[in-house]
Every structure is written in structure tokens, then in C-alpha cells.
Amino acid sequence: MSKIEELLKQQQEITAAIQAEYARSKAEADKGEAQAQYEWGVIHYKGQGVPQNFAEAARCFKLAAAQGNASAQIDLGAMCEQAQGVAKDAAEAVRLYQLAADQGHAVGHCRLGLMYESGQGVKQDYQEAIRHFKWAAQHGDANAHFAMGSVYENHHGVEQDNAEAVRWYKLAAGLGHEDALIRMGLLLEQGHGVRQDYAEAMRCFMLLATKGHAPAQIQVGTMYDQGLGVKQDYLQAKRWFSLAAAQNDPVAQTKMGLIYANGKGVPQNYAECIRWYKLAAAQDNAAAMSNLGFMFEHGLGVDIDEAQALQYFNKAARKGDPNAIKNRDIIEARIAARQPHTP
């Protein structure tokens, strides 16, 4: 038997095993076995070998949740929050998370804490949120550790304490929470309430950046761009921004536009700058839209086009971009001043 024939035979055996597992799972779900109902719901939620079907996933989760399956209660709660396959219902999500929490499920406690923190489906109560976060954190939930860091960073029910936030983020990062590494790195980079430590910030960002994490790649690029704890190196900045931009990250695309606009480590190239800005603007990035408005206002790489500039400034202004608001007002005042005065 050739290698190709051997691999094809293995592929056939794997396919047969998968089909047998589908049949077994569905049969057990049809018999009312809660875990099988939950697993069948996951298959439809993720579209694993079947068309993705949120309504069928929700139906299966409901059956399992009614039998006390905590995982089904949590996943159905999330679907109620996001209106996936069911009507949006934050109060129902709270009820389901509470059922899971009552069974001692850490994720249920953490999700319930998030609902109390945001006041969705329940009266906002930071202390109750913290109680649930701490319970879940004590039982090893990484998201709960991250939530506690956020509580201290954003002073939700506690005095703002970025040093304590970093402590919680570090614990979360140790459990594999990627966003915790980013938040920890940003606090250390900025030195807000903690000792500024560029080297440790870079270590946090680099751990994720080398794994292809776009927000971390942007932070590494920013540190090289500004010379924060490292020798300023525009080529390194461009390298990291371009890696994130290749993942269609609008912030990174805007950074790439700025590199070409300012000629940082590359020849100044307004056409390339505008290309990157437009990619980011197509994703409603306010900074990119504001920058495009500036290019059209001043004829940088394009013909001067006040109407086009105003259009971009208006879009960015609606998103609260302060530069866009200022420039929009300037253009509107300029246009008004040109209008003929009628007594």
C-alpha cells in the first residue's frame, strides 16, 4: 500500500468514526440525556460538520439547561445576552447564570458578576459583582481574575488602585488570559499608579506579539516608534504594525498610514498613506477618517476637495474624534464665510 493509499484509508476511517460519533450523540440527545443534548447544541452552535444553526443550538441548550446542566445554562445565557437563536433577554441570562452559579460553577459566578457590574438584566451592584468575581477567582477562573483587575483599574465599587489591578492582571495572565497581559503592559508602560517599567511592559506585549496577537503587535510597534524603553527604530515599528495590519486590524492600518504620511523609516508616500487610511476607514476607524479628511482638505496625495474632507470629518466627528470635530467646525465656518451676505 502506497503512502497516499494509507492516508486515504486513515481519512476514511476518521470520517466513519466522526459520523458514528454524530449518530451516537444525537441518539443520546434524542433519549433526553442532558450532556448529550448540550454537546449536540455545541455541534450546531459551532457548525461542526453540520450547518451552523443558533436556533437548534438554543433548543438543545434549553433541554439540557432544564435538566440542570450548568454548561448549557451558561451557554444559553450567553445566547440570550447576544440574541443568538433567541430573543435578547438580559434578565433571562441573569437567571441562567444564577442557576449555574448555584451549582458552584465558576464561569456562572463570573458571568453573573459581569451582569451585576454592568447592570444588565439586574440592578447594578458593584459589591455583588465583586463577590461573584472573587468566588470564581478563588476557583481558578482566569476571566474572574481579569474582571477583578478591571474593577480596581476602573474603581467599580473600590478605590482606584492600579497596583492592585496589575496584581490581578498578572494572576489572570498566569492562567493564560491574553487581554490581561495587554492591560498589565499598558499600565506598566504608562506608569499610572504603578512604577513605570518599560522593560516589563515590552515583555508582556512581546509574549503575545510573537504569537500573532494583533493588539500586542501594535503595542510593540508603538514602543519602537516612540522609543519607549528601547532605541527608537521606525523600521521595527513598521514591521510590527504591518504584521497587525495584515490581520486587517484598523488601528494598525492607521499606524501604517501615519508611517507613510510622515516618512518614518520609509520615503514619504501620500498615495500609500491614503491606501492604508482608506482600509481602516472602511472599518469605521475614526482616526483614519479624520486623517483622510485632513489629506483632502490640504491636497496631500489627492486634489484639494473640501466637500470630501468635510464628509470624512463628519463621519469621524460622529464617533467623537476631537480633531475631526475641530476641523469640521473650521471648514463649516470657512464655507459660511464665503456665502453671500443677504440683509
Coordinates of all heavy atoms in Angstrom, one line a residue, residues 207-267:
L207 N 5.2 38.7 24.5 CA 4.8 37.4 24.7 C 3.6 37.0 23.8 O 3.5 35.9 23.2 CB 4.3 37.2 26.1 CG 5.4 36.9 27.2 CD1 4.8 37.0 28.6 CD2 6.1 35.6 26.9
L208 N 2.8 38.0 23.5 CA 1.6 37.8 22.7 C 1.9 38.2 21.2 O 1.4 37.5 20.3 CB 0.4 38.7 23.2 CG -0.1 38.4 24.5 CD1 -1.2 39.4 24.9 CD2 -0.7 37.0 24.6
A209 N 2.7 39.2 21.0 CA 3.0 39.7 19.7 C 3.7 38.6 18.8 O 3.4 38.4 17.7 CB 3.9 40.9 19.7
T210 N 4.6 37.8 19.5 CA 5.2 36.7 18.7 C 4.3 35.6 18.4 O 4.6 34.7 17.6 CB 6.4 36.2 19.6 OG1 6.0 35.8 20.9 CG2 7.5 37.2 19.7
K211 N 3.1 35.6 19.1 CA 2.1 34.6 18.8 C 1.1 35.1 17.7 O 0.1 34.4 17.5 CB 1.4 34.1 20.0 CG 2.3 33.5 21.1 CD 1.5 33.1 22.3 CE 2.3 32.5 23.4 NZ 1.5 32.2 24.6
G212 N 1.3 36.3 17.2 CA 0.4 36.8 16.2 C -0.8 37.6 16.7 O -1.7 37.9 16.0
H213 N -0.7 38.0 18.0 CA -1.8 38.8 18.6 C -1.7 40.3 18.1 O -0.7 41.0 18.5 CB -1.6 38.7 20.1 CG -2.8 39.3 20.9 ND1 -2.9 40.6 21.2 CD2 -3.8 38.6 21.5 CE1 -4.0 40.8 21.9 NE2 -4.6 39.6 22.1
A214 N -2.7 40.7 17.3 CA -2.6 42.0 16.7 C -2.5 43.2 17.6 O -1.6 44.0 17.5 CB -3.7 42.2 15.7
P215 N -3.3 43.3 18.7 CA -3.2 44.4 19.6 C -1.8 44.5 20.3 O -1.3 45.6 20.5 CB -4.3 44.1 20.6 CG -5.3 43.4 19.9 CD -4.5 42.5 19.0
A216 N -1.2 43.3 20.6 CA 0.1 43.3 21.2 C 1.1 43.7 20.2 O 2.1 44.5 20.5 CB 0.4 41.9 21.7
Q217 N 1.0 43.3 18.9 CA 1.9 43.8 17.9 C 1.9 45.3 17.7 O 2.9 45.9 17.5 CB 1.6 43.1 16.6 CG 1.9 41.6 16.6 CD 1.3 40.8 15.4 OE1 0.4 41.3 14.7 NE2 1.9 39.7 15.1
I218 N 0.7 45.9 17.8 CA 0.6 47.3 17.7 C 1.3 48.0 18.9 O 2.0 49.0 18.7 CB -0.9 47.7 17.7 CG1 -1.6 47.2 16.4 CG2 -1.1 49.2 17.9 CD1 -3.1 47.3 16.5
Q219 N 1.2 47.4 20.1 CA 1.9 48.0 21.2 C 3.4 47.9 21.1 O 4.1 48.8 21.5 CB 1.4 47.3 22.5 CG -0.1 47.6 22.9 CD -0.4 49.0 23.0 OE1 0.4 49.9 23.4 NE2 -1.6 49.4 22.5
V220 N 3.9 46.8 20.6 CA 5.3 46.6 20.4 C 5.8 47.7 19.4 O 6.8 48.3 19.5 CB 5.7 45.2 19.9 CG1 7.1 45.1 19.5 CG2 5.4 44.2 21.0
G221 N 5.0 47.8 18.3 CA 5.3 48.8 17.3 C 5.3 50.2 17.8 O 6.2 51.0 17.5
T222 N 4.4 50.5 18.7 CA 4.3 51.8 19.3 C 5.5 52.1 20.2 O 6.1 53.2 20.2 CB 3.0 52.0 20.1 OG1 1.9 51.8 19.3 CG2 2.9 53.3 20.8
M223 N 6.0 51.1 20.9 CA 7.2 51.3 21.8 C 8.4 51.6 20.9 O 9.2 52.4 21.3 CB 7.3 50.1 22.7 CG 6.2 50.0 23.7 SD 6.5 48.8 25.0 CE 7.5 49.8 26.1
Y224 N 8.5 50.9 19.8 CA 9.7 51.2 18.9 C 9.5 52.5 18.2 O 10.5 53.3 18.1 CB 9.8 50.1 17.8 CG 10.6 48.9 18.3 CD1 9.9 47.6 18.5 CD2 11.9 49.0 18.6 CE1 10.7 46.5 18.9 CE2 12.7 47.9 19.0 CZ 12.0 46.6 19.2 OH 12.7 45.6 19.7
D225 N 8.3 52.9 17.9 CA 8.0 54.1 17.2 C 8.4 55.3 18.1 O 8.9 56.3 17.6 CB 6.5 54.2 16.8 CG 6.2 55.4 16.0 OD1 6.9 55.7 15.0 OD2 5.2 56.1 16.4
Q226 N 8.1 55.2 19.4 CA 8.3 56.3 20.3 C 9.5 56.2 21.1 O 9.9 57.1 21.9 CB 7.1 56.4 21.2 CG 5.8 56.7 20.5 CD 4.6 56.8 21.4 OE1 4.7 56.8 22.6 NE2 3.4 56.7 20.8
G227 N 10.2 55.0 21.0 CA 11.5 54.8 21.7 C 11.2 54.7 23.2 O 11.9 55.2 24.0
L228 N 10.2 53.9 23.6 CA 9.9 53.7 25.0 C 10.6 52.5 25.5 O 10.2 51.3 25.3 CB 8.3 53.6 25.1 CG 7.5 54.7 24.6 CD1 6.0 54.4 24.8 CD2 7.8 56.0 25.4
G229 N 11.7 52.7 26.2 CA 12.4 51.6 26.8 C 13.3 50.8 25.8 O 14.0 49.9 26.2
V230 N 13.2 51.2 24.6 CA 14.0 50.7 23.5 C 14.6 51.8 22.6 O 14.0 52.9 22.7 CB 13.3 49.7 22.6 CG1 12.9 48.4 23.4 CG2 12.0 50.3 22.0
K231 N 15.6 51.5 21.9 CA 16.1 52.5 20.9 C 15.0 52.8 19.9 O 14.5 51.8 19.3 CB 17.4 52.1 20.3 CG 18.0 53.1 19.4 CD 19.3 52.6 18.8 CE 19.9 53.6 17.8 NZ 21.2 53.1 17.2
Q232 N 14.7 54.0 19.6 CA 13.7 54.3 18.6 C 14.1 53.7 17.3 O 15.2 53.9 16.8 CB 13.6 55.8 18.4 CG 12.3 56.3 17.6 CD 12.1 57.8 17.7 OE1 13.1 58.6 17.5 NE2 10.9 58.2 18.1
D233 N 13.2 53.0 16.7 CA 13.5 52.2 15.5 C 12.3 52.2 14.6 O 11.4 51.4 14.8 CB 14.0 50.8 15.8 CG 14.5 50.0 14.6 OD1 14.1 50.3 13.5 OD2 15.4 49.2 14.8
Y234 N 12.2 53.1 13.6 CA 11.0 53.2 12.8 C 10.8 51.9 11.9 O 9.6 51.5 11.7 CB 11.1 54.4 11.9 CG 11.0 55.7 12.6 CD1 11.8 56.8 12.3 CD2 10.1 55.9 13.7 CE1 11.7 58.0 12.9 CE2 10.1 57.1 14.4 CZ 10.9 58.1 14.0 OH 10.8 59.3 14.7
L235 N 11.9 51.3 11.5 CA 11.7 50.1 10.7 C 11.1 48.9 11.5 O 10.3 48.2 11.0 CB 13.1 49.6 10.1 CG 13.6 50.5 9.0 CD1 15.0 50.0 8.5 CD2 12.6 50.6 7.8
Q236 N 11.5 48.8 12.8 CA 10.9 47.8 13.7 C 9.5 48.1 13.9 O 8.6 47.3 14.0 CB 11.7 47.7 15.0 CG 13.0 46.9 15.0 CD 12.7 45.4 14.8 OE1 11.6 44.9 15.2 NE2 13.6 44.7 14.2
A237 N 9.2 49.4 14.1 CA 7.8 49.9 14.3 C 7.0 49.4 13.1 O 5.9 48.9 13.3 CB 7.7 51.4 14.6
K238 N 7.5 49.7 11.9 CA 6.7 49.4 10.7 C 6.5 47.9 10.6 O 5.5 47.4 10.2 CB 7.5 49.9 9.5 CG 6.8 49.5 8.2 CD 7.6 50.1 7.0 CE 7.0 49.7 5.7 NZ 7.3 48.2 5.4
R239 N 7.5 47.1 11.0 CA 7.5 45.7 10.9 C 6.3 45.1 11.8 O 5.5 44.3 11.3 CB 8.8 45.0 11.4 CG 8.7 43.5 11.5 CD 10.1 42.9 11.9 NE 9.9 41.5 12.2 CZ 9.9 41.0 13.4 NH1 10.0 41.8 14.5 NH2 9.8 39.7 13.6
W240 N 6.2 45.6 13.0 CA 5.2 45.1 13.9 C 3.8 45.7 13.5 O 2.8 44.9 13.6 CB 5.5 45.5 15.3 CG 6.6 44.6 15.8 CD1 7.9 45.0 16.0 CD2 6.6 43.3 16.2 NE1 8.7 44.0 16.4 CE2 7.9 42.9 16.6 CE3 5.6 42.3 16.2 CZ2 8.2 41.6 17.0 CZ3 5.9 41.0 16.7 CH2 7.2 40.7 17.0
F241 N 3.7 46.9 13.1 CA 2.4 47.5 12.6 C 1.9 46.7 11.4 O 0.8 46.4 11.3 CB 2.6 48.9 12.3 CG 2.8 49.9 13.4 CD1 3.5 51.1 13.3 CD2 2.2 49.6 14.7 CE1 3.7 51.9 14.4 CE2 2.4 50.4 15.8 CZ 3.1 51.6 15.6
S242 N 2.9 46.4 10.5 CA 2.5 45.7 9.3 C 1.9 44.3 9.6 O 1.0 43.8 8.9 CB 3.6 45.6 8.3 OG 4.7 44.9 8.8
L243 N 2.5 43.6 10.6 CA 2.0 42.3 10.9 C 0.6 42.3 11.4 O -0.2 41.5 11.1 CB 2.9 41.7 12.0 CG 4.3 41.2 11.6 CD1 5.2 40.9 12.8 CD2 4.2 40.0 10.6
A244 N 0.3 43.4 12.2 CA -1.1 43.5 12.7 C -2.0 44.0 11.6 O -3.2 43.6 11.5 CB -1.1 44.5 13.9
A245 N -1.5 44.9 10.7 CA -2.3 45.4 9.6 C -2.7 44.3 8.7 O -3.8 44.3 8.1 CB -1.6 46.5 8.9
A246 N -1.8 43.3 8.5 CA -2.0 42.1 7.6 C -3.2 41.3 8.1 O -3.8 40.5 7.4 CB -0.8 41.3 7.5
Q247 N -3.5 41.5 9.4 CA -4.7 40.8 10.0 C -5.9 41.6 9.9 O -6.9 41.4 10.6 CB -4.4 40.4 11.5 CG -3.2 39.5 11.6 CD -3.0 39.1 13.1 OE1 -3.9 38.6 13.8 NE2 -1.8 39.4 13.6
N248 N -5.8 42.7 9.1 CA -7.0 43.6 8.9 C -7.3 44.4 10.1 O -8.5 44.8 10.3 CB -8.2 42.9 8.4 CG -9.1 43.7 7.5 OD1 -8.6 44.7 6.9 ND2 -10.4 43.5 7.5
D249 N -6.4 44.7 11.0 CA -6.6 45.5 12.2 C -6.7 47.0 11.8 O -5.7 47.5 11.3 CB -5.5 45.3 13.2 CG -5.9 45.9 14.6 OD1 -5.7 47.2 14.6 OD2 -6.2 45.3 15.5
P250 N -7.8 47.7 12.0 CA -7.9 49.1 11.6 C -6.9 50.0 12.3 O -6.5 51.0 11.7 CB -9.3 49.4 11.8 CG -9.8 48.5 12.9 CD -9.0 47.2 12.6
V251 N -6.6 49.8 13.5 CA -5.7 50.6 14.3 C -4.3 50.5 13.6 O -3.6 51.5 13.4 CB -5.6 50.2 15.8 CG1 -4.6 51.0 16.5 CG2 -7.0 50.5 16.4
A252 N -3.9 49.3 13.3 CA -2.6 49.0 12.7 C -2.5 49.7 11.3 O -1.5 50.2 10.9 CB -2.3 47.6 12.7
Q253 N -3.6 49.5 10.6 CA -3.7 50.2 9.2 C -3.5 51.7 9.3 O -2.9 52.3 8.5 CB -5.0 49.8 8.6 CG -5.1 48.3 8.2 CD -6.5 47.9 7.8 OE1 -7.5 48.6 8.1 NE2 -6.6 46.7 7.2
T254 N -4.2 52.3 10.3 CA -4.0 53.7 10.5 C -2.5 54.1 10.9 O -2.0 55.1 10.4 CB -4.9 54.2 11.7 OG1 -6.3 53.9 11.3 CG2 -4.9 55.7 11.8
K255 N -1.9 53.2 11.7 CA -0.5 53.4 12.1 C 0.4 53.4 10.8 O 1.3 54.1 10.6 CB -0.1 52.4 13.1 CG -0.8 52.4 14.4 CD -0.2 53.4 15.3 CE -0.7 53.3 16.8 NZ -0.1 54.3 17.7
M256 N 0.1 52.4 9.9 CA 0.8 52.3 8.7 C 0.6 53.5 7.8 O 1.6 54.0 7.2 CB 0.4 51.1 7.9 CG 0.8 49.7 8.5 SD 2.6 49.5 8.6 CE 2.9 49.3 6.8
G257 N -0.6 54.1 7.8 CA -0.8 55.3 7.1 C 0.1 56.5 7.6 O 0.6 57.2 6.8
L258 N 0.2 56.5 8.9 CA 1.0 57.6 9.6 C 2.4 57.5 9.2 O 3.2 58.4 9.0 CB 0.8 57.6 11.1 CG -0.6 58.1 11.6 CD1 -0.8 57.7 13.0 CD2 -0.6 59.6 11.4
I259 N 2.9 56.2 9.2 CA 4.3 56.0 8.8 C 4.6 56.5 7.4 O 5.6 57.2 7.2 CB 4.6 54.4 8.9 CG1 4.8 54.0 10.3 CG2 5.9 54.1 8.0 CD1 5.1 52.5 10.5
Y260 N 3.7 56.3 6.5 CA 4.0 56.8 5.1 C 3.7 58.3 5.0 O 4.3 59.0 4.2 CB 3.2 56.0 4.1 CG 3.7 54.6 3.8 CD1 3.2 53.5 4.4 CD2 4.9 54.5 3.0 CE1 3.8 52.2 4.1 CE2 5.4 53.3 2.7 CZ 4.9 52.2 3.3 OH 5.5 50.9 3.1
A261 N 2.8 58.8 5.8 CA 2.5 60.2 5.8 C 3.7 61.0 6.3 O 4.0 62.1 5.7 CB 1.3 60.5 6.6
N262 N 4.4 60.5 7.3 CA 5.5 61.2 7.9 C 6.8 60.8 7.4 O 7.8 61.3 7.9 CB 5.4 61.0 9.5 CG 4.1 61.6 10.0 OD1 3.7 62.8 9.7 ND2 3.4 60.9 10.9
G263 N 6.9 59.7 6.6 CA 8.2 59.3 6.1 C 9.0 58.7 7.2 O 10.2 59.0 7.3
K264 N 8.5 57.9 8.1 CA 9.2 57.4 9.2 C 9.9 56.0 8.8 O 9.2 55.0 8.7 CB 8.3 57.1 10.4 CG 7.9 58.4 11.1 CD 7.1 58.1 12.4 CE 6.8 59.3 13.2 NZ 6.0 59.0 14.4
G265 N 11.1 56.1 8.5 CA 11.9 54.9 8.1 C 11.6 54.5 6.7 O 12.2 53.5 6.2
V266 N 10.7 55.2 6.0 CA 10.4 54.9 4.6 C 10.3 56.2 3.9 O 10.1 57.3 4.5 CB 9.1 54.1 4.4 CG1 9.2 52.8 5.1 CG2 7.9 54.9 5.0
P267 N 10.4 56.3 2.5 CA 10.2 57.5 1.8 C 8.7 58.0 2.0 O 7.8 57.1 2.0 CB 10.5 57.1 0.3 CG 11.3 55.9 0.4 CD 10.9 55.2 1.6

